[in-house]
Amino acid sequence: DTAVSQTPKYLVTQMGNDKSIKCEQNLGHDTMYWYKQDSKKFLKIMFSYNNKELIINETVPNRFSPKSPDKAHLNLHINSLELGDSAVYFCASSRASLDSPLHFGNGTRLTVT
Amino acid sequence: GDSVTQMEGPVTLSEEAFLTINCTYTATGYPSLFWYVQYPGEGLQLLLKATKADDKGSNKGFEATYRKETTSFHLEKGSVQVSDSAVYFCALSEGGSWGKLQFGAGTQVVVTP
């Protein structure tokens, strides 16, 4: 009964490949997010969707493309992977209000070689 | 823009010691403030929050008070346990953009027996 689940947990791939990370939440939340955590643990938002509509799109290379088939799912596709894309990617969800806490998945550790 | 500054780690303590992690923020409006905790290999979990000045958030023996006059939200615990070893993140929610949390850099806490 995991609230926010993302797959895979680990992803090791070579430069230039295309990969996807999937995320699903069963909390009934309207809003989902992708955050990137670098090797120094710094967290930065990448994208946010509310009811399948993109509402936050930070300065992220257009090689990164989120897709939300429904409000319970938010997937992240990355084209032409680069070494600098290596990080832990966290999916999260929340209700649509300013003080509503985020519920995070356990992360996907992406390693690009 | 809005930002969060928290003390650098790692912070190493003995069990039953007093823990303080400093967090200060800059914001143009009246943000909500949060502390999240990340245990090894897991996603972030909400530890506590405060939504307006002088509010005190508390959970699992941790406390933090929203101090508008000093723009601070310091985290404290009176007696830490080994199980409190984790990375702690201070965060604020930017007005008008729910879920777009601005995180501090995280503070690693190591509690030794």
mmCIF file of all heavy atoms in Angstrom, chain B residues 7-49:
data_model
loop_
_atom_site.group_PDB
_atom_site.id
_atom_site.type_symbol
_atom_site.label_atom_id
_atom_site.label_comp_id
_atom_site.label_asym_id
_atom_site.label_seq_id
_atom_site.Cartn_x
_atom_site.Cartn_y
_atom_site.Cartn_z
ATOM 1 N N MET B 7 22.208 25.227 8.510
ATOM 2 C CA MET B 7 23.586 24.974 8.921
ATOM 3 C C MET B 7 24.129 23.740 8.214
ATOM 4 O O MET B 7 23.414 22.799 7.907
ATOM 5 C CB MET B 7 23.681 24.815 10.439
ATOM 6 C CG MET B 7 22.876 23.686 11.016
ATOM 7 S SD MET B 7 22.828 23.742 12.809
ATOM 8 C CE MET B 7 24.470 23.207 13.237
ATOM 9 N N GLU B 8 25.431 23.812 7.959
ATOM 10 C CA GLU B 8 26.077 22.708 7.266
ATOM 11 C C GLU B 8 26.311 21.559 8.221
ATOM 12 O O GLU B 8 26.508 21.738 9.427
ATOM 13 C CB GLU B 8 27.429 23.170 6.706
ATOM 14 C CG GLU B 8 27.300 24.017 5.458
ATOM 15 C CD GLU B 8 28.654 24.261 4.812
ATOM 16 O OE1 GLU B 8 29.516 23.372 4.887
ATOM 17 O OE2 GLU B 8 28.843 25.357 4.254
ATOM 18 N N GLY B 9 26.315 20.384 7.668
ATOM 19 C CA GLY B 9 26.652 19.222 8.468
ATOM 20 C C GLY B 9 27.995 18.664 8.043
ATOM 21 O O GLY B 9 28.714 19.311 7.283
ATOM 22 N N PRO B 10 28.332 17.476 8.475
ATOM 23 C CA PRO B 10 27.483 16.686 9.360
ATOM 24 C C PRO B 10 27.548 17.154 10.813
ATOM 25 O O PRO B 10 28.544 17.729 11.233
ATOM 26 C CB PRO B 10 28.064 15.280 9.224
ATOM 27 C CG PRO B 10 29.489 15.481 8.847
ATOM 28 C CD PRO B 10 29.537 16.748 8.046
ATOM 29 N N VAL B 11 26.453 16.944 11.488
ATOM 30 C CA VAL B 11 26.380 17.188 12.913
ATOM 31 C C VAL B 11 26.438 15.835 13.603
ATOM 32 O O VAL B 11 25.604 14.971 13.332
ATOM 33 C CB VAL B 11 25.060 17.909 13.278
ATOM 34 C CG1 VAL B 11 24.919 18.023 14.789
ATOM 35 C CG2 VAL B 11 24.980 19.273 12.606
ATOM 36 N N THR B 12 27.435 15.659 14.432
ATOM 37 C CA THR B 12 27.615 14.377 15.118
ATOM 38 C C THR B 12 27.351 14.563 16.607
ATOM 39 O O THR B 12 27.917 15.475 17.234
ATOM 40 C CB THR B 12 29.043 13.823 14.909
ATOM 41 O OG1 THR B 12 29.275 13.712 13.496
ATOM 42 C CG2 THR B 12 29.181 12.454 15.543
ATOM 43 N N LEU B 13 26.470 13.727 17.129
ATOM 44 C CA LEU B 13 26.046 13.841 18.521
ATOM 45 C C LEU B 13 26.058 12.479 19.173
ATOM 46 O O LEU B 13 25.913 11.461 18.489
ATOM 47 C CB LEU B 13 24.599 14.344 18.599
ATOM 48 C CG LEU B 13 24.218 15.618 17.898
ATOM 49 C CD1 LEU B 13 22.718 15.667 17.771
ATOM 50 C CD2 LEU B 13 24.700 16.794 18.716
ATOM 51 N N SER B 14 26.122 12.497 20.483
ATOM 52 C CA SER B 14 25.925 11.260 21.234
ATOM 53 C C SER B 14 24.440 11.104 21.545
ATOM 54 O O SER B 14 23.694 12.090 21.609
ATOM 55 C CB SER B 14 26.715 11.301 22.539
ATOM 56 O OG SER B 14 28.092 11.380 22.261
ATOM 57 N N GLU B 15 24.037 9.871 21.723
ATOM 58 C CA GLU B 15 22.645 9.602 22.102
ATOM 59 C C GLU B 15 22.280 10.394 23.353
ATOM 60 O O GLU B 15 23.111 10.580 24.246
ATOM 61 C CB GLU B 15 22.490 8.099 22.378
ATOM 62 C CG GLU B 15 21.150 7.538 22.018
ATOM 63 C CD GLU B 15 21.120 6.021 21.971
ATOM 64 O OE1 GLU B 15 22.063 5.387 22.489
ATOM 65 O OE2 GLU B 15 20.166 5.483 21.406
ATOM 66 N N GLU B 16 21.041 10.891 23.376
ATOM 67 C CA GLU B 16 20.470 11.692 24.471
ATOM 68 C C GLU B 16 20.971 13.127 24.481
ATOM 69 O O GLU B 16 20.573 13.898 25.370
ATOM 70 C CB GLU B 16 20.706 11.032 25.825
ATOM 71 C CG GLU B 16 20.042 9.656 25.942
ATOM 72 C CD GLU B 16 20.215 9.034 27.313
ATOM 73 O OE1 GLU B 16 20.785 9.678 28.205
ATOM 74 O OE2 GLU B 16 19.767 7.889 27.488
ATOM 75 N N ALA B 17 21.782 13.521 23.533
ATOM 76 C CA ALA B 17 22.223 14.926 23.460
ATOM 77 C C ALA B 17 21.108 15.794 22.890
ATOM 78 O O ALA B 17 20.137 15.301 22.305
ATOM 79 C CB ALA B 17 23.477 15.033 22.593
ATOM 80 N N PHE B 18 21.269 17.102 23.057
ATOM 81 C CA PHE B 18 20.317 18.086 22.527
ATOM 82 C C PHE B 18 20.727 18.448 21.107
ATOM 83 O O PHE B 18 21.889 18.705 20.829
ATOM 84 C CB PHE B 18 20.327 19.333 23.418
ATOM 85 C CG PHE B 18 19.292 20.347 23.039
ATOM 86 C CD1 PHE B 18 18.008 20.267 23.564
ATOM 87 C CD2 PHE B 18 19.602 21.391 22.171
ATOM 88 C CE1 PHE B 18 17.048 21.217 23.222
ATOM 89 C CE2 PHE B 18 18.645 22.336 21.829
ATOM 90 C CZ PHE B 18 17.366 22.244 22.349
ATOM 91 N N LEU B 19 19.732 18.480 20.225
ATOM 92 C CA LEU B 19 19.994 18.787 18.824
ATOM 93 C C LEU B 19 19.353 20.113 18.443
ATOM 94 O O LEU B 19 18.165 20.351 18.742
ATOM 95 C CB LEU B 19 19.439 17.688 17.920
ATOM 96 C CG LEU B 19 19.427 17.970 16.413
ATOM 97 C CD1 LEU B 19 20.860 18.023 15.859
ATOM 98 C CD2 LEU B 19 18.614 16.921 15.666
ATOM 99 N N THR B 20 20.118 20.958 17.796
ATOM 100 C CA THR B 20 19.570 22.158 17.151
ATOM 101 C C THR B 20 20.113 22.231 15.740
ATOM 102 O O THR B 20 21.325 22.091 15.533
ATOM 103 C CB THR B 20 19.985 23.450 17.881
ATOM 104 O OG1 THR B 20 19.506 23.416 19.208
ATOM 105 C CG2 THR B 20 19.406 24.671 17.180
ATOM 106 N N ILE B 21 19.234 22.444 14.778
ATOM 107 C CA ILE B 21 19.650 22.703 13.397
ATOM 108 C C ILE B 21 19.065 24.053 13.019
ATOM 109 O O ILE B 21 17.850 24.245 13.026
ATOM 110 C CB ILE B 21 19.141 21.633 12.417
ATOM 111 C CG1 ILE B 21 19.584 20.238 12.848
ATOM 112 C CG2 ILE B 21 19.671 21.946 11.011
ATOM 113 C CD1 ILE B 21 19.014 19.123 11.976
ATOM 114 N N ASN B 22 19.953 24.983 12.720
ATOM 115 C CA ASN B 22 19.497 26.334 12.390
ATOM 116 C C ASN B 22 18.993 26.417 10.962
ATOM 117 O O ASN B 22 19.571 25.829 10.040
ATOM 118 C CB ASN B 22 20.633 27.333 12.584
ATOM 119 C CG ASN B 22 20.959 27.542 14.053
ATOM 120 O OD1 ASN B 22 20.159 27.239 14.918
ATOM 121 N ND2 ASN B 22 22.146 28.043 14.323
ATOM 122 N N CYS B 23 17.918 27.193 10.800
ATOM 123 C CA CYS B 23 17.354 27.435 9.474
ATOM 124 C C CYS B 23 16.863 28.871 9.424
ATOM 125 O O CYS B 23 16.109 29.304 10.302
ATOM 126 C CB CYS B 23 16.197 26.488 9.195
ATOM 127 S SG CYS B 23 15.272 26.868 7.686
ATOM 128 N N THR B 24 17.308 29.616 8.438
ATOM 129 C CA THR B 24 16.789 30.956 8.213
ATOM 130 C C THR B 24 16.307 31.055 6.779
ATOM 131 O O THR B 24 16.732 30.290 5.911
ATOM 132 C CB THR B 24 17.850 32.043 8.471
ATOM 133 O OG1 THR B 24 18.978 31.784 7.635
ATOM 134 C CG2 THR B 24 18.281 32.066 9.924
ATOM 135 N N TYR B 25 15.419 31.994 6.539
ATOM 136 C CA TYR B 25 14.834 32.082 5.207
ATOM 137 C C TYR B 25 14.730 33.532 4.770
ATOM 138 O O TYR B 25 14.760 34.464 5.587
ATOM 139 C CB TYR B 25 13.444 31.414 5.184
ATOM 140 C CG TYR B 25 12.395 32.144 6.002
ATOM 141 C CD1 TYR B 25 11.599 33.140 5.436
ATOM 142 C CD2 TYR B 25 12.231 31.847 7.353
ATOM 143 C CE1 TYR B 25 10.664 33.817 6.190
ATOM 144 C CE2 TYR B 25 11.294 32.527 8.112
ATOM 145 C CZ TYR B 25 10.517 33.508 7.533
ATOM 146 O OH TYR B 25 9.588 34.192 8.283
ATOM 147 N N THR B 26 14.616 33.719 3.481
ATOM 148 C CA THR B 26 14.240 35.007 2.914
ATOM 149 C C THR B 26 13.032 34.764 2.028
ATOM 150 O O THR B 26 12.997 33.802 1.251
ATOM 151 C CB THR B 26 15.370 35.647 2.086
ATOM 152 O OG1 THR B 26 15.732 34.742 1.046
ATOM 153 C CG2 THR B 26 16.586 35.949 2.930
ATOM 154 N N ALA B 27 12.045 35.618 2.180
ATOM 155 C CA ALA B 27 10.831 35.466 1.398
ATOM 156 C C ALA B 27 10.157 36.823 1.280
ATOM 157 O O ALA B 27 10.213 37.640 2.195
ATOM 158 C CB ALA B 27 9.889 34.463 2.059
ATOM 159 N N THR B 28 9.501 37.034 0.157
ATOM 160 C CA THR B 28 8.823 38.314 -0.052
ATOM 161 C C THR B 28 7.454 38.330 0.607
ATOM 162 O O THR B 28 6.959 39.365 0.981
ATOM 163 C CB THR B 28 8.671 38.595 -1.555
ATOM 164 O OG1 THR B 28 8.066 37.457 -2.168
ATOM 165 C CG2 THR B 28 10.020 38.854 -2.200
ATOM 166 N N GLY B 29 6.858 37.185 0.759
ATOM 167 C CA GLY B 29 5.516 37.113 1.327
ATOM 168 C C GLY B 29 5.517 36.440 2.678
ATOM 169 O O GLY B 29 6.420 36.661 3.493
ATOM 170 N N TYR B 30 4.523 35.626 2.897
ATOM 171 C CA TYR B 30 4.370 34.909 4.167
ATOM 172 C C TYR B 30 4.308 33.415 3.874
ATOM 173 O O TYR B 30 3.227 32.834 3.778
ATOM 174 C CB TYR B 30 3.103 35.389 4.879
ATOM 175 C CG TYR B 30 3.135 36.868 5.158
ATOM 176 C CD1 TYR B 30 2.550 37.779 4.288
ATOM 177 C CD2 TYR B 30 3.791 37.363 6.283
ATOM 178 C CE1 TYR B 30 2.598 39.139 4.539
ATOM 179 C CE2 TYR B 30 3.845 38.714 6.539
ATOM 180 C CZ TYR B 30 3.244 39.605 5.657
ATOM 181 O OH TYR B 30 3.299 40.941 5.902
ATOM 182 N N PRO B 31 5.479 32.816 3.743
ATOM 183 C CA PRO B 31 5.492 31.405 3.336
ATOM 184 C C PRO B 31 5.084 30.479 4.470
ATOM 185 O O PRO B 31 5.088 30.869 5.644
ATOM 186 C CB PRO B 31 6.965 31.173 2.979
ATOM 187 C CG PRO B 31 7.705 32.120 3.875
ATOM 188 C CD PRO B 31 6.832 33.345 3.963
ATOM 189 N N SER B 32 4.732 29.268 4.123
ATOM 190 C CA SER B 32 4.648 28.184 5.089
ATOM 191 C C SER B 32 6.035 27.559 5.173
ATOM 192 O O SER B 32 6.778 27.534 4.188
ATOM 193 C CB SER B 32 3.626 27.139 4.639
ATOM 194 O OG SER B 32 2.324 27.668 4.669
ATOM 195 N N LEU B 33 6.366 27.071 6.352
ATOM 196 C CA LEU B 33 7.699 26.509 6.598
ATOM 197 C C LEU B 33 7.592 25.051 6.999
ATOM 198 O O LEU B 33 6.641 24.651 7.696
ATOM 199 C CB LEU B 33 8.412 27.312 7.686
ATOM 200 C CG LEU B 33 8.607 28.790 7.398
ATOM 201 C CD1 LEU B 33 9.193 29.501 8.621
ATOM 202 C CD2 LEU B 33 9.534 28.988 6.197
ATOM 203 N N PHE B 34 8.568 24.272 6.582
ATOM 204 C CA PHE B 34 8.529 22.829 6.785
ATOM 205 C C PHE B 34 9.911 22.319 7.187
ATOM 206 O O PHE B 34 10.934 22.898 6.820
ATOM 207 C CB PHE B 34 8.151 22.107 5.479
ATOM 208 C CG PHE B 34 6.868 22.563 4.843
ATOM 209 C CD1 PHE B 34 6.829 23.675 4.021
ATOM 210 C CD2 PHE B 34 5.692 21.855 5.041
ATOM 211 C CE1 PHE B 34 5.645 24.098 3.416
ATOM 212 C CE2 PHE B 34 4.507 22.264 4.444
ATOM 213 C CZ PHE B 34 4.488 23.386 3.630
ATOM 214 N N TRP B 35 9.898 21.231 7.922
ATOM 215 C CA TRP B 35 11.086 20.394 8.078
ATOM 216 C C TRP B 35 10.752 19.008 7.536
ATOM 217 O O TRP B 35 9.736 18.414 7.907
ATOM 218 C CB TRP B 35 11.522 20.277 9.540
ATOM 219 C CG TRP B 35 12.355 21.417 10.000
ATOM 220 C CD1 TRP B 35 11.960 22.494 10.738
ATOM 221 C CD2 TRP B 35 13.754 21.613 9.757
ATOM 222 N NE1 TRP B 35 13.020 23.345 10.957
ATOM 223 C CE2 TRP B 35 14.129 22.823 10.368
ATOM 224 C CE3 TRP B 35 14.735 20.868 9.083
ATOM 225 C CZ2 TRP B 35 15.435 23.319 10.335
ATOM 226 C CZ3 TRP B 35 16.022 21.356 9.043
ATOM 227 C CH2 TRP B 35 16.365 22.563 9.665
ATOM 228 N N TYR B 36 11.620 18.548 6.641
ATOM 229 C CA TYR B 36 11.517 17.198 6.115
ATOM 230 C C TYR B 36 12.740 16.409 6.587
ATOM 231 O O TYR B 36 13.808 16.963 6.798
ATOM 232 C CB TYR B 36 11.499 17.200 4.583
ATOM 233 C CG TYR B 36 10.166 17.575 3.969
ATOM 234 C CD1 TYR B 36 9.779 18.904 3.867
ATOM 235 C CD2 TYR B 36 9.297 16.597 3.502
ATOM 236 C CE1 TYR B 36 8.554 19.252 3.309
ATOM 237 C CE2 TYR B 36 8.071 16.927 2.939
ATOM 238 C CZ TYR B 36 7.709 18.256 2.847
ATOM 239 O OH TYR B 36 6.494 18.587 2.286
ATOM 240 N N VAL B 37 12.567 15.092 6.691
ATOM 241 C CA VAL B 37 13.662 14.216 7.089
ATOM 242 C C VAL B 37 13.828 13.129 6.030
ATOM 243 O O VAL B 37 12.843 12.628 5.476
ATOM 244 C CB VAL B 37 13.416 13.602 8.496
ATOM 245 C CG1 VAL B 37 12.126 12.802 8.545
ATOM 246 C CG2 VAL B 37 14.594 12.733 8.918
ATOM 247 N N GLN B 38 15.072 12.826 5.727
ATOM 248 C CA GLN B 38 15.377 11.776 4.751
ATOM 249 C C GLN B 38 16.268 10.738 5.408
ATOM 250 O O GLN B 38 17.430 11.011 5.728
ATOM 251 C CB GLN B 38 16.067 12.363 3.523
ATOM 252 C CG GLN B 38 16.335 11.341 2.429
ATOM 253 C CD GLN B 38 16.992 11.948 1.199
ATOM 254 O OE1 GLN B 38 17.673 12.963 1.271
ATOM 255 N NE2 GLN B 38 16.796 11.317 0.044
ATOM 256 N N TYR B 39 15.722 9.547 5.622
ATOM 257 C CA TYR B 39 16.508 8.438 6.147
ATOM 258 C C TYR B 39 17.260 7.779 4.996
ATOM 259 O O TYR B 39 16.842 7.876 3.839
ATOM 260 C CB TYR B 39 15.609 7.444 6.870
ATOM 261 C CG TYR B 39 14.904 8.044 8.056
ATOM 262 C CD1 TYR B 39 13.555 8.391 7.981
ATOM 263 C CD2 TYR B 39 15.583 8.307 9.240
ATOM 264 C CE1 TYR B 39 12.904 8.973 9.057
ATOM 265 C CE2 TYR B 39 14.940 8.885 10.315
ATOM 266 C CZ TYR B 39 13.608 9.225 10.215
ATOM 267 O OH TYR B 39 12.976 9.814 11.278
ATOM 268 N N PRO B 40 18.352 7.102 5.281
ATOM 269 C CA PRO B 40 19.173 6.522 4.213
ATOM 270 C C PRO B 40 18.360 5.653 3.263
ATOM 271 O O PRO B 40 17.603 4.776 3.685
ATOM 272 C CB PRO B 40 20.203 5.699 4.994
ATOM 273 C CG PRO B 40 20.313 6.369 6.315
ATOM 274 C CD PRO B 40 18.930 6.865 6.627
ATOM 275 N N GLY B 41 18.522 5.917 1.981
ATOM 276 C CA GLY B 41 17.872 5.096 0.957
ATOM 277 C C GLY B 41 16.386 5.359 0.779
ATOM 278 O O GLY B 41 15.706 4.632 0.044
ATOM 279 N N GLU B 42 15.881 6.394 1.432
ATOM 280 C CA GLU B 42 14.446 6.664 1.341
ATOM 281 C C GLU B 42 14.174 8.061 0.796
ATOM 282 O O GLU B 42 15.076 8.889 0.664
ATOM 283 C CB GLU B 42 13.797 6.528 2.727
ATOM 284 C CG GLU B 42 13.896 5.127 3.298
ATOM 285 C CD GLU B 42 13.175 5.019 4.626
ATOM 286 O OE1 GLU B 42 12.427 5.935 5.004
ATOM 287 O OE2 GLU B 42 13.363 3.982 5.301
ATOM 288 N N GLY B 43 12.907 8.296 0.498
ATOM 289 C CA GLY B 43 12.497 9.636 0.110
ATOM 290 C C GLY B 43 12.304 10.516 1.333
ATOM 291 O O GLY B 43 12.416 10.065 2.467
ATOM 292 N N LEU B 44 12.008 11.769 1.079
ATOM 293 C CA LEU B 44 11.797 12.701 2.184
ATOM 294 C C LEU B 44 10.426 12.479 2.815
ATOM 295 O O LEU B 44 9.459 12.139 2.142
ATOM 296 C CB LEU B 44 11.871 14.148 1.681
ATOM 297 C CG LEU B 44 13.257 14.719 1.454
ATOM 298 C CD1 LEU B 44 13.905 14.117 0.232
ATOM 299 C CD2 LEU B 44 13.183 16.239 1.315
ATOM 300 N N GLN B 45 10.368 12.696 4.115
ATOM 301 C CA GLN B 45 9.100 12.614 4.837
ATOM 302 C C GLN B 45 8.902 13.921 5.583
ATOM 303 O O GLN B 45 9.865 14.460 6.138
ATOM 304 C CB GLN B 45 9.125 11.492 5.880
ATOM 305 C CG GLN B 45 9.448 10.123 5.377
ATOM 306 C CD GLN B 45 9.639 9.154 6.516
ATOM 307 O OE1 GLN B 45 9.126 9.343 7.624
ATOM 308 N NE2 GLN B 45 10.390 8.094 6.272
ATOM 309 N N LEU B 46 7.692 14.388 5.608
ATOM 310 C CA LEU B 46 7.396 15.579 6.389
ATOM 311 C C LEU B 46 7.602 15.283 7.868
ATOM 312 O O LEU B 46 7.064 14.317 8.406
ATOM 313 C CB LEU B 46 5.958 16.035 6.157
ATOM 314 C CG LEU B 46 5.534 17.256 6.961
ATOM 315 C CD1 LEU B 46 6.271 18.495 6.469
ATOM 316 C CD2 LEU B 46 4.025 17.461 6.876
ATOM 317 N N LEU B 47 8.365 16.138 8.537
ATOM 318 C CA LEU B 47 8.573 15.986 9.967
ATOM 319 C C LEU B 47 7.621 16.909 10.736
ATOM 320 O O LEU B 47 6.936 16.488 11.649
ATOM 321 C CB LEU B 47 10.018 16.309 10.323
ATOM 322 C CG LEU B 47 10.452 16.152 11.763
ATOM 323 C CD1 LEU B 47 10.216 14.743 12.265
ATOM 324 C CD2 LEU B 47 11.918 16.535 11.927
ATOM 325 N N LEU B 48 7.584 18.176 10.336
ATOM 326 C CA LEU B 48 6.663 19.118 10.956
ATOM 327 C C LEU B 48 6.533 20.349 10.063
ATOM 328 O O LEU B 48 7.323 20.533 9.139
ATOM 329 C CB LEU B 48 7.124 19.508 12.366
ATOM 330 C CG LEU B 48 8.551 20.010 12.542
ATOM 331 C CD1 LEU B 48 8.664 21.488 12.222
ATOM 332 C CD2 LEU B 48 9.032 19.761 13.959
ATOM 333 N N LYS B 49 5.529 21.157 10.365
ATOM 334 C CA LYS B 49 5.324 22.363 9.565
ATOM 335 C C LYS B 49 4.715 23.469 10.424
ATOM 336 O O LYS B 49 4.175 23.216 11.511
ATOM 337 C CB LYS B 49 4.415 22.074 8.384
ATOM 338 C CG LYS B 49 2.957 21.824 8.758
ATOM 339 C CD LYS B 49 2.090 21.648 7.513
ATOM 340 C CE LYS B 49 0.621 21.538 7.897
ATOM 341 N NZ LYS B 49 -0.253 21.364 6.711
#
